Amino acid sequence: MTPIPPLAPTEESTIGAVTFTNTSTYVGGRYLKFSREYSQTPWNVRGAKLTENSVSECFELIKIRHKADDAKFCTAGREDANVRMLGSGRPFFLELVNPRITRLSDQEYKDLEDEINKSTLHKDSVQVRHLTYIEPEDTKIIKEGEEKKTKKYRALVWLSEPLTDDLIERINEAGSKECPIIQKTPTRVFQRRAAIDRPKTIFTASIVRVSDKPEESHFGVYEMHAQAGTYIKEFVHGDLGRTQPNLANIAGIHSADLLELDVVDVDLVWPPVKEAVINENNKRTLTDA
């Protein structure tokens, strides 16, 4: 037991080691994903890797250039591995942990962007745009935007009835007005999401035929402008009635299904536009001191 009061020390204290670390650096940009085989981050289930590549792994070079211990990847929403991210790309930022180089010049970020985009392994699957240094407080734009931003989608869909002129008119007439929907937690994510009802809004939607060929009369290209967090796949196929209304309800047909999905726009101003601040000391490594 410790005596009370404690005994007076009889030896001098010594310092075994001192470690210095830098505060995190933040780098923002937008990425495009052209592959339907890349997950956003490494996808492992029970030790098995379900996709060979991921978007976050394409940006390893950013961590290397800043000589950071680690990199944390944060995005404005996420797309499934089999969904492409097109248009102007999805906003993201990297938190670089304990970087020895805390900031690059604008030209160095542009050169780094070009190097990533020319990577032999990923250049046809993932590209990055507008790579730049951001302030720590800028990261809240992405986090706060989760509830406010909207997204636009384009989907290849199958309908249980041929896309006649009347059916197209019926779908497009309904899609010209805002459509509030209720989505129960989808069956495909039930094991990792709370069982709640999610009210969402489809702002606009429209459909066109894939072609005029009779054998393709059940296929259409369906474009949607929706609230952030909407489960688009479930809105199209209904998820066993767990999303109401869904495309089949709106069209007045038996069923619909989604074959391919692209995100074509994420409505968020990113990266934030600010006057460049040049500070050569920010580029100095610890070994230069």
Side-chain angles (χ1 to χ4, degrees):
M1 296 179 63
T2 302
I4 300 176
L7 299 175
T10 58
E11 298 180 359
E12 292 185 359
S13 61
T14 59
I15 299 176
V18 177
T19 301
F20 294 92
T21 60
N22 274 329
T23 56
S24 293
T25 284
Y26 295 85
V27 175
R30 301 179 82 107
Y31 75 81
L32 294 94
K33 180 166 77 79
F34 308 118
S35 170
R36 298 192 189 277
E37 297 179 351
Y38 274 57
S39 55
Q40 193 179 73
T41 54
W43 188 11
N44 299 290
V45 176
R46 297 177 182 175
K49 196 172 184 180
L50 300 188
T51 57
E52 185 175 349
N53 298 296
S54 69
V55 173
S56 63
E57 291 171 313
C58 299
F59 303 142
E60 180 71 12
L61 197 57
I62 300 174
K63 185 186 82 171
I64 293 172
R65 284 289 188 275
H66 288 81
K67 299 185 178 180
D69 289 344
D70 194 12
K72 300 177 182 179
F73 187 55
C74 181
T75 64
R78 61 186 301 120
E79 72 282 337
D80 292 340
N82 62 355
V83 175
R84 297 188 300 180
M85 179 65 240
L86 306 178
S88 59
R90 185 180 296 280
F92 76 91
F93 70 82
L94 282 171
E95 179 187 353
L96 300 165
V97 180
N98 190 27
R100 276 65 171 181
I101 299 176
T102 57
R103 183 169 180 172
L104 307 181
S105 68
D106 290 346
Q107 185 58 51
E108 286 172 321
Y109 280 121
K110 182 63 173 68
D111 293 342
L112 181 55
E113 180 180 306
D114 291 341
E115 189 171 351
I116 293 171
N117 291 340
K118 293 176 182 176
S119 163
T120 304
L121 182 60
H122 304 295
K123 66 179 181 180
D124 295 329
S125 301
V126 175
Q127 296 274 292
V128 64
R129 299 285 186 271
H130 311 302
L131 200 63
T132 186
Y133 171 87
I134 62 172
E135 299 291 345
E137 58 267 25
D138 293 332
T139 61
K140 67 182 181 182
I141 297 174
I142 281 186
K143 296 173 182 177
E144 292 175 353
E146 285 297 316
E147 295 301 321
K148 300 176 183 178
K149 68 179 182 294
T150 64
K151 300 178 186 177
K152 293 180 180 178
Y153 301 86
R154 181 174 60 235
L156 175 63
V157 299
W158 172 89
L159 304 180
S160 59
E161 295 184 14
L163 265 173
T164 61
D165 290 343
D166 287 344
L167 182 53
I168 290 174
E169 183 178 356
R170 189 158 66 243
I171 293 173
N172 290 346
E173 171 63 24
S176 66
K177 302 180 289 290
E178 286 191 6
C179 176
I181 64 174
I182 298 294
Q183 296 193 295
K184 295 184 181 297
T185 302
T187 53
R188 65 187 172 96
V189 299
F190 205 74
Q191 74 279 11
R192 61 180 188 273
R193 293 285 188 272
I196 60 174
D197 289 355
R198 295 172 172 82
K200 297 294 178 181
T201 301
I202 307 296
F203 298 109
T204 59
S206 63
I207 196 168
V208 296
R209 297 184 185 90
V210 167
S211 76
D212 292 326
K213 297 177 181 178
E215 62 270 24
E216 296 180 348
S217 62
H218 287 259
F219 299 92
V221 176
Y222 191 44
E223 295 189 344
M224 295 151 281
H225 182 197
Q227 182 182 352
T230 303
Y231 288 105
I232 295 298
K233 292 178 178 179
E234 282 68 23
F235 170 65
V236 172
H237 61 60
D239 195 27
L240 303 175
R242 297 176 64 82
T243 290
Q244 293 289 337
N246 51 61
L247 177 55
N249 300 147
I250 292 169
I253 60 177
H254 179 268
S255 58
D257 202 2
L258 186 146
L259 306 179
E260 290 183 346
L261 179 63
D262 296 331
V263 184
V264 295
D265 185 54
V266 178
D267 182 21
L268 188 68
V269 176
W270 185 264
V273 179
K274 293 184 178 180
E275 185 178 352
V277 178
I278 300 175
N279 183 348
E280 290 300 318
N281 287 331
N282 285 339
K283 295 162 52 181
R284 188 176 60 184
T285 67
L286 294 181
T287 56
D288 292 333

